[in-house]
Every structure is written in C-alpha cells, then in structure tokens.
C-alpha cells in the first residue's frame, strides 16, 4: 500500500508546483501526493482539483479495516512519525505512532495528510491559481474544518478505505475528528478528539486575530502578495507564533521552565533586548516557525478554526451532530489547558451522552497546558492505548 | 486488573450481575475501576457504560478498554436521554449523593430498571455503637470518621423501602446482605433491617 499511489505531481496544467516555496517543495517531495476533486467548499467555491500530500506508516490489511487517520493541529504536518524534511526534526507524535506505541504500524495502517489550505504540500494559498497563472495568495477560497475533512475523505476514497478504524487528533486535529464523526458516522469506528472543542471560543478567536493582524501589519506582507515582492512578513508571522505559543503553555509550565531567569547575562540590561530566558525562548519559537510555515496559510487555517462551530451546522444543538452514531468516542482533556479547557471538552461528552453514544472521557492531570497532548504524558498514552485496544478487540483486529 | 483477577468479582457485585439479563445496555454509576462492567461485558455480553467521580478510577477503566466518563451521579445523569439503558446500577454510592431521591428518579428515567445497593444504617452494630458507645458508628460498611466521610445521606433498609413506596417505584427483587456482601436467608422485614449489613434492590418504574 505504501507505494501504490501517485508521486509526486501531475503535469496536466503547466507546472502547478511553480508557486511553492522551497520548504513546501521539500515537504511535497518527501510525501505521497495525489490530485483529487472536484471539491465543493463551504464558502461556495468549487475546487476542480486539489492536491493532498500525505504520509502513511504500516500496511493496510486485506479487510481494509485497520486504517488510522491522524488529523494534525494548526501548525503541524503529515510527518507524524518520521523525520521532517523541512526542519530535520523527528516526527511530532512519535509517542503515539511507532513500534510498541498505541498506534503501532505493525498493526495499523496510519495515515496523516497535510490539511487543505496548508503549506506542506496540500493545496493552499501558495499554489498557482489556474485563472491568473500566479499564486493564489488571498484569492484562495476560504476553507473550513469541514472542507479539510471532506478533502481527507476524498483521499480515503482514493486509497480504497471505506471505513476507518480510528480518527485521532488534538486541538484543531480534534475539531477534524469531531467533524469526521458528524459528517461520516459510518466511516469512523472509533474517534479520539483530544484537547479540543466543538466550537472555537471568543477568547481563542481573539488570540488568532492578534496573530493575523501582526502578519497583515508587517510591511513585507504586501496584501498577501509577498511572493511577487520577494519579501516575507517574517516579523509579523513570528509575533503571531509567539502569541499563539503562550496559549499552548500554562502559567506554571512557563514559571517552572524559565521563571524570571536572565538570558546570557548576570544582571538586567536596561534595554529592550531579550533579558529574560522566556523572551529569548519566544524569539526562537517565532524565528524557527517562519522558516517552516507560510504566513498566508497561517491566516487561512486560523480562520478555519475560528469558523468552526459544529452545533451551528446541526441546527444549534450539538447532540444532533451525533444522533444515531455507533462510533466509540474517547474524549480527553488536560487540567492546565486554558486554550481548550476541560469544560469545553465536556460539552462534547454531554452532547454524546444526550444521544446515548458510546463515550469515554478522561481528564489528565498535568501542568503542561494545551501542548500536553504532544508531550510525554504517560497517563494520556495509557488511556489512548487502553481505549484503542478495546476498540481493536471490538473490531476484530489482531 | 491482572488476568488472575479476571473472572472473579466481589461477591456483592456478583449478586448485582446476577440481576442483569445478558445482552442488555447497562450504565454503572460510580463504577470505580470498572470491575463490574468488565465482568458483565465478558460474561454477559452487555453494552456497558460507566460513570465515575474519581479520575484515577476513570483512567483505570478506560485504559482497560471500558467506556467510562468522569461524572457525578447528582448532576450528570441528567445528560442522558430517557430509556437509554436497560439497567442503571448504583452500587454503594447512594449514601454519598446530595439528592438521593433525585438520583433515583434520574436512574429510573434513564434506565428501565435500577439496581441499588447501600449500607444499612439500622444494622445492629451501627445501633449498638451509637446507643451503647455513644459514638458515631464505624463499621466495615461505614469505615469513616464522622468528620471525614463521603456518606451524607445514610438510610436503613426500611427507609429505602419507604422511599420507593413514596416514589411509586416497584421493588422487583430485594436482597439482604451481610456486612461482607454475602446474601442472608429470607428474613422478615424488621429482622432484615436489624441484621442486614447492606440492602440490594432491583427496581422498576411502575
């Protein structure tokens, strides 16, 4: 299965890859990719074709029943369990996917795709707009979480996978998991939405808006047309990342990691240089982000999260989204997560209970904040492992 | 739970399990680490769910492959629809709820049957400790100091029967258990109330 798909591009209309940045090009070259479509978007625009860049691990079994889809968070990518061709870092969820891990490729066929609107090989604002011959930039249509999920569903059709064993994801990935369970109940055997919510809160929209405004205020942004101007809104994007990064941590984690410790100096510098370790850490986060992420993609994907409100799609009642669902759910939250706090995760659990769905809910005690789902949290992995084992038994997977 | 422990459950849980028809839908409220649910799923193929207040209990149960949520019987039963389950079990938890009557109502709304067990506060040892010792009772079934107990609504077997009558609930089956959860022979009601360490009831809406 691993090699049975098109690679890497299609020459039907000139060079559709011409717009890609070197980073996106490297990501695409290291992925499988496939042209799919047409895809009707929530905003009303139809993409006649769109490209999905993805990675797989393991082998699809003869019954095609062991596929596990991982939905990535805002700034993650398809390189969930192998070396990232852009950053050179190891996979971002190695603790979940790997030998002896809860999603062991020896047992499961693990799939992770770059989201629609992303900048790591899937179609997004970096691509060439066939109408103009230039990059889409801001002429790229607005995408939603549901559009991302519909694009993934087309990928599964292409791979010949009717029903997924499980869909798992944290944060924005968790939103996609909920959307999957709502839009395609018969294609999802088990769903694990982690540290997420059925709608983006006003506070979270506010933080995203600060990030977007930082990008758009950067003189290098040029109305989104920075490619043509040979610039990058690097400072704005870095500020967006720095703001967002603070929301991924917790106050106690920041205090434990940095406190008020000074960076490379014995006393205060009485200047606006990075005196404190926490400042220098944020500068580093911002800078490294600019090297791997496209500013316009950041605008589009944060907007997709802001627009997410699953209940609104179902007449204002979240439970309606899950009526009649036979999916087994495991919802997980973290005590110190203030971006997607436990009570927002519980809203999902309540809605699932209201339709007597099969749901487990675990709140993991940790001081690591929202990012805990990406970190070494033994309690989380024990729970994930137990839930997946129970579900695998029910599905008859060995 | 180790494999050696599988296949066996506490005697009082076994008596509860005996009241449950195979292949039914069961919600165990206050399910602890899920021992009863685990047994019911394996031995009686029930579609089992659990609710548990303690995070440690929930995590253990979910890690064991059971469907359990963290929740509070007093507030969270309200989130389930009518008739979602065939049986709703509340084992040794009623006395720790804030509104026992409301919890019972909710159980019988959500489930066709309710199974309830609780420590009998009229047990002779409890009476003796209070009457002769002049101290708040501490027994195997009630092993807490008065200032440090989760049990806030203690009742006797007779009290519980009176509540059921008041609520118009049918008692389908009633067992009197020893302090250790062993079934006692059929006793006349006043004797059951004196000698029973625990009461175990199978209830149905009238």
């Amino acid at each position: 299965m691993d090699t049975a798909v098109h690679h890497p591009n299609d020459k039907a209309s000139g060079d559709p890859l011409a717009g890609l940045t070197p980073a996106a090009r490297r990501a695409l070259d290291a992925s499988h990719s496939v042209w799919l479509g047409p895809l009707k978007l929530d905003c009303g625009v139809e993409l006649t074709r769109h490209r999905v860049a993805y990675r797989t691990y393991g082998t699809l079994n003869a019954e095609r029943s062991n596929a596990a889809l991982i939905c990535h968070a805002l700034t993650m990518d398809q390189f969930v369990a192998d070396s990232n061709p852009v950053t050179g870092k190891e996979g971002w969820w190695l603790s979940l996917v790997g030998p002896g891990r809860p999603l062991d490729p020896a047992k499961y066929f693990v799939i992770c795709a770059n989201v629609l609107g992303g900048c790591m090989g899937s179609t997004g604002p970096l691509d060439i707009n066939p109408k103009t011959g230039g990059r889409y930039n801001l002429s790229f249509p607005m995408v939603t979480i549901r559009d991302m999920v519909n694009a993934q569903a087309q990928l599964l059709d292409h791979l010949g996978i009717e029903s997924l064993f499980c869909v798992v994801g944290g944060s924005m990935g968790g939103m996609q998991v909920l959307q999957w369970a709502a839009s395609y109940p018969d294609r999802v055997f088990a769903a694990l939405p982690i540290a997420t919510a059925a709608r983006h809160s006003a506070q979270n929209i506010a933080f995203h808006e600060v990030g977007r405004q930082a990008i758009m205020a950067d003189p290098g942004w040029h109305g989104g047309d920075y490619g043509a101007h040979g610039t990058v809104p690097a400072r704005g994007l870095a500020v967006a990342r720095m703001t967002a990064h603070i929301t991924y941590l917790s106050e106690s984690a920041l205090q434990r990691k940095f406190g008020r410790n000074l960076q490379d100096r014995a006393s205060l510098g009485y200047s606006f240089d990075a005196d404190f370790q926490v400042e220098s850490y944020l500068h580093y986060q911002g800078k490294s982000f600019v090297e791997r992420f496209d500013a316009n993609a950041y605008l589009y994907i944060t907007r997709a999260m802001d627009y997410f409100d699953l209940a609104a799609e179902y007449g204002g009642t979240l439970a309606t989204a899950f009526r009649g669902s036979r999916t087994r759910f495991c919802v997980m939250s973290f005590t110190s997560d203030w971006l997607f706090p436990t009570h927002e995760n519980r809203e999902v659990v309540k809605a699932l209970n209201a339709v007597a769905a099969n749901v487990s809910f675990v709140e993991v005690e940790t001081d690591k904040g929202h990012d805990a789902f990406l970190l070494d949290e033994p309690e989380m992995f024990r729970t994930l492992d137990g839930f997946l084992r129970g579900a695998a038994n029910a599905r008859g997977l060995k | 739970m180790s494999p050696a422990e599988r296949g066996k459950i506490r005697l009082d849980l076994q008596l509860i399990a005996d009241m449950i028809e195979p292949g039914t839908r069961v919600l165990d409220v206050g399910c602890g680490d899920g021992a009863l649910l685990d047994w019911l799923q394996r031995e009686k193929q029930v579609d089992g769910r659990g609710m548990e207040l303690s995070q440690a209990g929930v995590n253990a149960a979910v890690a064991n492959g059971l469907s359990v949520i963290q929740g509070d019987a007093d507030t969270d039963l309200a989130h389930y629809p009518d008739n979602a389950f065939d049986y709703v079990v509340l084992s040794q938890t009623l006395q720790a709820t804030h509104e026992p009557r409301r919890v019972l109502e909710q159980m019988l709304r959500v489930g066709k049957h309710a199974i309830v067990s609780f420590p009998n506060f009229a047990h002779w040892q409890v009476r003796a400790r209070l009457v002769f010792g002049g101290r708040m009772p501490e027994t195997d079934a009630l092993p807490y100091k008065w200032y440090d107990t989760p049990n806030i609504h203690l009742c006797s077997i007779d009290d519980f029967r009176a509540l059921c009558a008041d609520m118009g609930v049918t008692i389908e089956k009633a067992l009197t258990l020893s302090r250790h959860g062993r079934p006692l022979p059929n006793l006349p009601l006043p004797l059951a109330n004196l000698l029973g360490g625990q009461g175990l009831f199978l209830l149905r809406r009238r």
Side-chain angles (χ1 to χ4, degrees):
Chain A
M1 198 67 236
D2 211 17
T3 54
V5 279
H6 314 165
H7 183 271
N9 56 57
D10 156 329
K11 304 279 185 206
S13 62
D15 183 4
L17 305 180
L20 295 186
T21 60
R25 197 62 186 256
R26 275 204 300 282
L28 189 59
D29 285 345
S31 304
H32 300 290
S33 69
V34 59
W35 285 97
L36 301 163
L39 181 64
K40 176 99 179 171
L41 304 178
D42 277 339
C43 67
V45 173
E46 183 174 275
L47 290 176
T48 43
R49 310 190 311 154
H50 67 99
R51 188 181 56 243
V52 178
Y54 64 100
R55 291 285 298 132
T56 66
Y57 310 86
T59 311
L60 189 62
N61 64 13
E63 298 78 32
R64 299 179 171 252
S65 61
N66 67 335
L69 179 70
I70 295 178
C71 300
H72 71 73
L74 170 58
T75 66
M76 294 295 152
D77 49 50
Q78 63 272 40
F79 301 100
V80 60
D82 56 351
S83 163
N84 188 302
V86 179
T87 63
K89 288 187 184 157
E90 58 184 18
W92 55 270
W93 221 353
L94 274 182
S95 43
L96 180 71
V97 183
R101 305 296 181 182
L103 286 178
D104 190 332
K107 181 172 179 176
Y108 300 108
F109 180 59
V110 180
I111 309 161
C112 186
N114 186 215
V115 294
L116 180 69
C119 58
M120 294 290 268
S122 288
T123 293
L126 286 177
D127 277 65
I128 297 298
N129 181 346
K131 284 189 190 135
T132 64
R135 276 187 190 179
Y136 273 109
N137 295 333
L138 293 200
S139 71
F140 193 70
M142 206 55 86
V143 297
T144 63
I145 298 291
R146 182 159 62 181
D147 295 332
M148 295 175 181
V149 164
N150 287 339
Q152 290 163 1
Q154 291 187 341
L155 172 65
L156 293 190
D157 293 343
H158 168 78
L159 295 174
I161 296 165
E162 174 52 36
S163 142
L164 289 161
F165 164 64
C166 75
V167 185
V168 53
S171 199
M172 185 181 86
M175 291 176 167
Q176 294 166 64
V177 172
L178 295 175
Q179 186 74 61
W180 257 105
S183 293
Y184 300 98
D186 298 334
R187 298 188 78 168
V188 182
F189 186 78
L192 293 107
I194 301 171
T196 192
R199 80 170 72 158
H200 215 216
S201 69
Q203 175 173 278
N204 291 354
I205 294 172
F207 275 115
H208 274 175
E209 179 61 4
V210 171
R212 283 190 295 264
Q213 289 298 329
I215 290 168
M216 295 191 275
D218 189 310
W221 184 60
H222 292 292
D225 201 19
Y226 44 87
H229 288 79
T231 56
V232 175
R235 302 188 82 95
L237 183 57
V239 169
R241 175 62 172 180
M242 286 162 70
T243 317
H245 201 80
I246 298 167
T247 69
Y248 302 154
L249 307 174
S250 69
E251 202 260 331
S252 61
L254 277 175
Q255 190 61 36
R256 174 166 44 77
K257 251 174 137 166
F258 307 108
R260 291 180 52 86
N261 296 339
L262 301 180
Q263 178 75 30
D264 301 330
R265 64 182 73 222
S267 59
L268 297 179
Y270 295 102
S271 77
F272 291 112
D273 295 340
D275 279 9
F276 295 101
Q277 279 179 13
V278 65
E279 294 173 320
S280 146
Y281 170 76
L282 286 178
H283 289 188
Y284 167 78
Q285 289 294 339
K287 185 168 176 290
S288 56
F289 186 61
V290 169
E291 287 158 14
R292 70 179 174 90
F293 217 85
D294 173 59
N296 284 342
Y298 192 84
L299 300 180
Y300 275 89
I301 300 175
T302 55
R303 207 65 185 139
M305 287 181 79
D306 293 350
Y307 281 162
F308 187 62
D309 182 356
L310 192 55
E313 281 177 41
Y314 291 87
T317 309
L318 183 57
T320 312
F322 305 117
R323 180 151 291 148
S325 175
R326 283 175 289 123
T327 301
R328 304 159 73 101
F329 290 85
C330 182
V331 179
M332 223 180 290
S333 72
F334 301 97
T335 50
S336 53
D337 183 348
W338 58 282
L339 197 61
F340 292 96
T342 289
H343 69 86
E344 291 189 19
N345 290 269
R346 262 188 194 283
E347 288 302 316
V348 175
V349 177
K350 274 189 210 167
L352 288 165
N353 279 338
V355 293
N358 187 335
V359 55
S360 295
F361 168 64
V362 169
E363 181 186 35
V364 175
E365 174 127 17
T366 174
D367 79 340
K368 293 181 190 140
H370 179 64
D371 259 0
F373 78 96
L374 297 170
L375 303 171
D376 179 30
E377 279 297 342
E379 192 72 43
M380 175 179 91
F381 291 108
R382 255 199 306 282
T383 307
L384 277 175
D385 194 49
F387 174 79
L388 287 171
R389 273 174 206 280
N393 285 340
R395 178 111 161 162
L397 292 178
K398 286 184 200 72
Chain B
M1 198 178 316
S2 73
E5 288 169 307
R6 283 174 175 265
K8 276 191 294 186
I9 47 172
R10 232 168 52 206
L11 190 57
D12 58 322
L13 296 182
Q14 184 62 57
L15 293 168
I16 292 173
D18 291 346
M19 293 177 165
I20 291 172
E21 293 292 323
T24 51
R25 292 166 60 89
V26 178
L27 173 66
D28 187 0
V29 182
C31 66
D33 66 0
L36 174 64
L37 277 177
D38 186 55
W39 191 91
L40 285 170
Q41 280 189 189
R42 278 183 296 112
E43 305 294 328
K44 288 203 161 178
Q45 289 75 49
V46 305
D47 182 3
R49 312 287 163 74
M51 183 192 291
E52 166 63 28
L53 196 56
S54 88
Q55 197 56 62
V58 178
N59 295 16
V62 177
N64 195 22
L66 300 168
S67 299
V68 175
I69 65 161
Q70 194 195 21
D72 185 333
D74 272 305
T75 53
D76 293 346
L77 279 170
H79 302 145
Y80 292 90
D82 296 355
N83 293 316
F85 298 95
D86 296 301
Y87 298 90
V88 180
V89 178
L90 189 70
S91 154
Q92 303 290 330
T93 302
L94 186 69
Q95 72 278 3
T97 62
H98 284 276
E99 294 187 75
R101 181 182 174 126
R102 176 88 188 119
V103 169
L104 269 181
E105 283 168 0
Q106 288 286 341
M107 289 173 71
L108 284 162
R109 178 186 65 81
V110 169
K112 297 187 177 78
H113 303 268
I115 299 176
V116 184
S117 75
F118 54 89
N120 174 25
F121 204 64
H123 186 258
W124 66 269
Q125 281 188 325
V126 174
R127 300 190 197 197
R129 168 122 174 153
L130 187 59
V131 171
F132 299 113
R135 304 279 301 274
M136 282 301 283
E138 277 174 56
T139 66
D140 296 351
L142 299 164
Y144 301 100
K145 299 285 184 199
W146 63 271
Y147 51 81
D148 188 26
T149 176
N151 300 325
I152 52 179
H153 281 117
L154 290 153
C155 71
S156 69
I157 288 174
D158 282 0
D159 286 327
F160 187 78
R161 285 180 173 277
L163 175 62
C164 290
D166 191 41
M167 288 173 62
V169 167
T170 302
I171 297 175
E172 291 187 290
K173 204 177 273 182
L175 292 180
T176 311
L177 311 184
S178 75
R179 292 184 292 133
H180 309 294
R182 277 185 238 294
L184 297 177
N186 255 338
L187 297 166
L189 287 183
L191 266 185
N193 202 35
L194 180 66
L195 299 179
Q198 299 175 36
L200 171 55
F201 289 82
L202 172 63
L203 311 173
R204 177 168 51 79
R205 261 172 278 162
R206 191 168 284 160

